[in-house]
Amino acid sequence: MNKLKLAKQEAVIRCLVDGNSIRATERITSVHRDTVMRLLNRVGSNCEQIMDAEMTNLTCQRLQLDEIWCYVGKKQRHLRKDDDPAEKSDFWTFVALDADTKVIPTYRVGKRTVETAVDFVGDLSERLNNRVQISTDKLKAYVDAIDIAFGANVDSAQIVKSYEAEPIDPGRYGPPKVTSVSKQIRWGKPNPDHVTTSYIERNNLTRRMSIRRMTRLTNAFSKKLENLRSAIALHFAYYNFCRIHNTLRITPAMAAGISNRIWGLEELLLDNI
């Protein structure tokens, strides 16, 4: 079997991390979409290992947690009796972001359940070596997850937003207007000036723009859960180690002291397909 040259592999990955779909990448690079997908899955597996190995002994001070929605195969309301909800329907990506360095210490793809939240926050706690302040939205699952993972060794608060009534129309193409915001302390003594989820919510836009299958109102959704996991792993590894943050002027991994240089795409590839 012929192997793609490294330069061609980098071109494919560059297209994907810049928000192009599989078929658009095929047109741009002249690499067949099946080959593009195989490369994505292999590099995605590499990126999962990179994130797991590198994101340890972190000294984050202010973390913001949030979850972002997408779907695999079909949306929840379109499931049939013979569909497996563990492989299709709605999925959520739980994400942690350091407000100071903008690094993403960890993430978890799964259902929007207490079990996924516990798994996600538990993994996060194992990557930290200091007491941290955590801000989340009002999702109740975070309360149980943080309690199990951190106990009393955390400063945590939730942002509770109230919205105006939804307009009655065929569809909604913009977020509802926020009418009020309150802060609820859950554990410890969090600094109220830093109780916010604004950075992680802004980072949600970066994911929507950079991961094509997360872009709303398109047909570029994931057909398999494996493909979604690979695309998300690639995005976070590239975001942390390769992409220069506009306000930091360095990569988030460099700002967090995890790396002392900007990584090249070839470091995410490792070997050839």
Side-chain angles (χ1 to χ4, degrees), residues 1-17:
M1 181 180 67
N2 293 330
K3 295 182 179 181
L4 287 179
K5 293 182 178 180
L6 181 60
K8 181 65 76 171
Q9 292 186 58
E10 290 182 4
V12 169
I13 296 303
R14 178 70 64 185
C15 285
L16 295 175
V17 297

Side-chain angles (χ1 to χ4, degrees), residues 3 92 190 263:
K3 295 182 179 181
W92 296 78
W263 286 30

Side-chain angles (χ1 to χ4, degrees), residues 149-165:
F150 290 93
N153 189 33
V154 68
D155 301 307
S156 177
Q158 289 186 303
I159 307 295
V160 180
K161 297 180 180 179
S162 298
Y163 299 90
E164 65 182 2

Side-chain angles (χ1 to χ4, degrees), residues 60-73:
C60 304
Q61 300 296 318
R62 298 183 293 129
L63 289 174
Q64 299 178 12
L65 312 187
D66 198 14
E67 65 285 347
I68 185 171
W69 171 86
C70 63
Y71 67 96
V72 175

Side-chain angles (χ1 to χ4, degrees), residues 33-46:
R33 56 185 175 274
D34 291 343
T35 304
V36 172
M37 184 57 67
R38 287 198 302 271
L39 178 61
L40 170 61
N41 287 334
R42 181 179 62 76
V43 176
S45 178
N46 294 342

Side-chain angles (χ1 to χ4, degrees), residues 60-67 94-106 120-121 124 128 132-137 142 146 155-157 159 161 193-204 207:
C60 304
Q61 300 296 318
R62 298 183 293 129
L63 289 174
Q64 299 178 12
L65 312 187
D66 198 14
E67 65 285 347
F94 288 71
V95 184
L97 179 140
D98 181 5
D100 298 308
T101 66
K102 306 305 183 293
V103 76
I104 304 292
T106 190
F120 163 63
V121 178
L124 174 63
L128 302 172
V132 67
Q133 175 168 323
I134 297 179
S135 300
T136 74
D137 59 22
Y142 285 129
I146 293 175
D155 301 307
S156 177
I159 307 295
K161 297 180 180 179
D193 292 337
H194 297 311
V195 176
T196 177
T197 55
S198 59
Y199 287 123
I200 186 68
E201 289 173 359
R202 169 57 184 84
N203 195 264
N204 286 341
R207 285 190 289 285

Side-chain angles (χ1 to χ4, degrees), residues 131-187:
R131 188 183 180 96
V132 67
Q133 175 168 323
I134 297 179
S135 300
T136 74
D137 59 22
K138 65 177 181 180
L139 184 66
K140 186 179 183 301
Y142 285 129
V143 178
D144 297 330
I146 293 175
D147 184 34
I148 293 172
F150 290 93
N153 189 33
V154 68
D155 301 307
S156 177
Q158 289 186 303
I159 307 295
V160 180
K161 297 180 180 179
S162 298
Y163 299 90
E164 65 182 2
E166 292 282 348
I168 301 176
D169 55 27
R172 175 168 64 84
Y173 294 92
K177 182 180 179 181
V178 177
T179 57
S180 66
V181 178
S182 62
K183 302 177 181 180
Q184 297 181 355
I185 296 177
R186 294 298 183 183
W187 291 275

